[in-house]
Amino acid sequence: MLAFQDVSYAHPNKDILFSGLHMTVGRGDKIALTGHNGAGKSTLLRLMAGELMPSGGTIRREELPYYIPQHFGQFDALTVGEALRAGKRLHALREILAGNVTDALMADLNDDWTIEERCEEALSHWQLAGMPLDQKLAGLSGGQKTRVFLAGITVNQPTFLLLDEPGNHLDAEGRALLRTLISGWRQTLMLVSHDASLLRLLPVVYELGKKGITVYGGDFDFYKAQKGLEQEALHQDLRSHEKALRKARETEREAIERKQKLDARGKKKQEKSGVPTIMLNTLRNSAEKSAASLKKAHAEKMDGIADEVNRLRKALPDIDKMKLNVDDSALHKGKVLVTANELNCRFGEKHLWEKGLTFQIRSGNRLAIRGGNGSGKTTLIRLLLGEIQPSEGTLTRAGFSAVYIDQDYSYIDGGLTVYEQAQKHNPGHLEEYEIKTRLNRFLFGPADWNKPSSALSGGERMRLLLCVLGIGTKAPDVIILDEPTNNLDMQNVEILTTAMNGYDGTLIVVSHDTEFLEMLGIDGEIEL
């Protein structure tokens, strides 16, 4: 159905993203595509969909897949009907029903007389009942745009579907509908997602990495188990080579000491036996050459082992290199930070919440804020941060420091370079080389230090944020995460999870990803 043969792709600046890709997707295959941020997963889907042309190699396909991208901002000028890929048919139907019957309009309609009803039914299924088909996407929220594009699948019933992070912006009900779609899909499908609950619905995993496409002949749990075995083998191989390097250094030291003792003993014997000076000099030169040869032989052996150790260390997962090193929160566990009683906000004559919110947040809590799209989660966060005041009820806040981390990681100042961003959070006692060492630990090398923060991907912004939090050393009392995993791959979700699990302050999380919440050890919730 689709085949890649020796496919390569280079960015417009000539940087090669990947090369030598070979891949086959057969009719009816259902594939989970994984890979780190920046590996090129979205680019690969766009190549499959015919939106991009490869720099080299060939792509053979029987048909163009139905592709739903990760971001929708470029489609804001479209109407809902056009986003459903029914614009021409809807226009033709309305013109014909108005009495304007032409061959061109009949061809555009293609006997699809039920297109308007099917569009409305599809929108209703995706919880967008009553949405006008001529409404522009620009006025819709991220969750609504996602639902519109997913509704297009119901309208068009394609035989080959490409989904790039379709769970982004969807609430719990939307994700449930998405799981039903994927689990019931009987045609060809390739899915990119950081949501393990979606990936587990598919029988095969393809991984896009430095070595190209690797096919794992099992589901996501099988893939994770195999990756675990690979990483354990890597760690074991590294430990073995590190041990061999220590042994080689010890052997070199012992051999040189033994040689020096033998040479010293031989020299004394020669001097006592009255060997002429010229002969002593010759023997000494010979001994020095012998020692140099011995040292060179050991150095070559150690260099080979050291090179392998360095290669293995570079192959370690990034998560092994990044830790959130901050001091513990200064607040004692259990201190009351926020008390809300019948809390509510009024917009015109309407209350945001049907019933006022009553809750308490204590230092050390790990809470989830739950609610559907439009339920007021962001408004509640602004109340907790003291940015707005309630219209009704009371909200009492104790003094505490807080860091708010949204899905775009806007805590990072896009006007600063990577290095300037890190230096901004320097408490004053860190030297330049120490700042750069910290950046290196979070995978920002010399080529990245002068890069504008605005050019970073979601995963890179997350890593830079964790880095600068660690540079500041003084931990915030409260960290609020607002849908932080939407633009992250699985590895970066794991990095974020590990970092947050090393944080001992108060954690408040807005997320529809139940597995992410479980990994964070959430122990309470505020239901909206």
Side-chain angles (χ1 to χ4, degrees):
M1 193 170 193
L2 182 144
F4 276 35
Q5 187 171 5
D6 200 27
V7 169
S8 60
Y9 182 79
H11 293 299
N13 66 359
K14 307 301 182 184
D15 287 346
I16 296 174
L17 181 60
F18 46 66
S19 61
L21 284 190
H22 294 269
M23 176 181 68
T24 301
V25 179
R27 186 176 299 278
D29 284 352
K30 289 179 277 292
I31 298 163
L33 178 65
T34 67
H36 301 330
N37 275 6
K41 301 185 296 298
S42 294
T43 300
L44 182 69
L45 293 192
R46 294 183 68 192
L47 286 166
M48 294 173 70
E51 289 197 356
L52 294 175
M53 296 300 294
S55 304
T58 57
I59 301 175
R60 294 188 175 88
R61 59 175 78 80
E62 294 177 8
E63 61 180 296
L64 280 176
Y66 193 95
Y67 169 53
I68 297 185
Q70 180 178 170
H71 303 292
F72 305 111
Q74 67 271 36
F75 303 114
D76 278 354
L78 297 183
T79 65
V80 169
E82 289 167 339
L84 293 171
R85 305 192 192 186
K88 273 190 177 182
R89 285 172 286 171
L90 288 169
H91 172 72
L93 177 64
R94 289 168 181 169
E95 288 291 312
I96 291 168
L97 292 178
N100 182 19
V101 181
T102 67
D103 289 343
L105 288 171
M106 291 297 290
D108 285 344
L109 182 60
N110 194 27
D111 281 339
D112 194 354
W113 297 97
T114 64
I115 183 61
E116 189 167 14
E117 289 88 345
R118 295 206 324 279
C119 286
E120 290 171 349
E121 288 172 3
L123 290 172
S124 179
H125 173 76
W126 286 97
Q127 301 175 320
L128 297 173
M131 177 170 285
L133 293 172
D134 57 359
Q135 179 171 338
K136 294 287 187 181
L137 291 186
L140 304 183
S141 68
Q144 288 173 319
K145 289 176 186 177
T146 301
R147 290 169 190 267
V148 167
F149 277 85
L150 290 171
I153 300 170
T154 308
V155 172
N156 295 284
Q157 291 296 306
T159 58
F160 189 173
L161 185 58
L162 302 177
L163 299 176
D164 192 356
E165 296 288 0
N168 284 1
H169 309 295
L170 291 181
D171 58 16
E173 292 181 357
R175 287 180 182 235
L177 289 171
L178 179 60
R179 281 193 291 274
T180 300
L181 168 71
I182 293 172
S183 60
W185 193 255
R186 296 293 176 263
Q187 305 290 344
T188 311
L189 168 66
M190 181 171 282
L191 168 70
V192 172
S193 179
H194 66 265
D195 187 340
S197 68
L198 294 179
L199 296 174
R200 286 193 177 94
L201 299 174
L202 303 173
V204 177
V205 174
Y206 284 18
E207 183 182 65
L208 177 60
K210 295 176 181 177
K211 298 179 181 178
I213 297 283
T214 303
V215 178
Y216 289 81
D219 63 10
F220 182 70
D221 287 327
F222 174 81
Y223 163 76
K224 290 289 285 184
Q226 290 298 113
K227 293 297 287 184
L229 292 173
E230 290 174 14
Q231 296 303 330
E232 178 53 34
L234 176 62
H235 279 282
Q236 190 170 349
D237 201 11
L238 176 58
R239 289 192 294 269
S240 175
H241 279 80
E242 286 175 335
K243 183 178 179 181
L245 183 58
R246 289 193 298 271
K247 181 65 176 175
R249 285 172 176 160
E250 181 67 18
T251 301
E252 180 198 35
R253 186 183 60 79
E254 291 174 351
I256 290 174
E257 287 178 354
R258 190 164 51 249
K259 182 75 169 59
Q260 288 172 342
K261 288 179 182 177
L262 288 172
D263 287 347
R265 196 177 304 153
K267 184 179 178 182
K268 285 182 181 179
K269 286 183 179 179
Q270 291 157 4
E271 287 174 346
K272 287 181 180 179
S273 60
V275 176
T277 302
I278 189 169
M279 181 60 71
L280 285 174
N281 290 336
T282 301
L283 292 171
R284 184 176 67 250
N285 291 338
S286 177
E288 288 173 353
K289 287 180 181 178
S290 176
S293 298
L294 179 64
K295 191 169 184 177
K296 181 181 178 183
H298 281 286
E300 289 175 351
K301 181 179 179 180
M302 284 192 297
D303 285 346
I305 300 173
D307 288 344
E308 184 63 11
V309 167
N310 288 331
R311 185 191 69 77
L312 292 169
R313 283 176 178 164
K314 287 179 181 178
L316 285 175
D318 295 335
I319 194 170
D320 287 357
K321 307 168 190 174
M322 287 175 269
K323 304 294 179 186
L324 182 60
N325 296 316
V326 295
D327 296 337
D328 291 343
S329 172
L331 299 179
H332 67 79
K333 291 288 190 292
K335 178 182 178 179
V336 177
L337 302 182
V338 177
T339 301
N341 186 34
E342 299 297 325
L343 182 68
N344 218 323
C345 284
R346 184 188 292 272
F347 294 92
E349 295 300 315
K350 186 179 179 183
H351 287 100
L352 178 56
W353 299 298
E354 186 176 334
K355 183 180 179 182
L357 304 178
T358 298
F359 59 84
Q360 198 170 72
I361 300 176
R362 293 176 177 269
S363 178
N365 283 165
R366 290 187 162 236
L367 301 175
I369 298 177
R370 294 183 180 272
N373 291 344
S375 62
K377 298 185 294 293
T378 301
T379 299
L380 178 56
I381 288 173
R382 295 186 67 197
L383 287 164
L384 295 177
L385 293 172
E387 294 179 358
I388 59 174
Q389 298 302 314
S391 305
E392 296 179 9
T394 60
L395 179 70
T396 306
R397 300 172 69 253
F400 60 84
S401 61
V403 169
Y404 172 57
I405 301 172
D406 61 15
Q407 60 186 283
D408 296 319
Y409 296 91
S410 51
Y411 183 83
I412 297 298
D413 185 346
L416 300 178
T417 66
V418 168
Y419 177 76
E420 288 169 344
Q421 187 74 54
Q423 187 62 262
K424 175 183 174 182
H425 291 80
N426 183 5
H429 63 267
L430 294 179
E431 299 290 340
E432 180 178 335
Y433 78 91
E434 293 176 291
I435 295 288
K436 290 179 175 178
T437 297
R438 303 279 184 103
L439 286 169
N440 268 307
R441 190 182 304 156
F442 283 81
L443 308 185
F444 295 105
D448 302 308
W449 294 338
N450 291 320
K451 183 185 294 184
S453 298
S454 58
L456 301 179
S457 68
E460 289 170 329
R461 290 171 73 87
M462 182 274 294
R463 286 191 276 107
L464 182 56
L465 187 147
L466 294 178
C467 180
V468 301
L469 285 180
I471 286 173
T473 67
K474 181 173 173 52
D477 300 317
V478 178
I479 292 179
I480 300 176
L481 301 176
D482 189 357
E483 294 289 2
T485 63
N486 274 1
N487 298 313
L488 302 183
D489 62 13
M490 287 184 300
Q491 185 198 39
N492 280 308
V493 170
E494 191 175 355
I495 290 169
L496 178 62
T497 304
T498 301
M500 290 301 106
N501 285 336
Y503 166 68
D504 82 329
T506 306
L507 190 62
I508 300 173
V509 187
V510 175
S511 178
H512 299 296
D513 188 335
T514 54
E515 188 154 328
F516 176 63
L517 294 174
E518 288 173 7
M519 289 190 296
L520 289 177
I522 296 299
D523 55 19
E525 63 181 45
I526 300 172
E527 186 73 38
L528 303 183

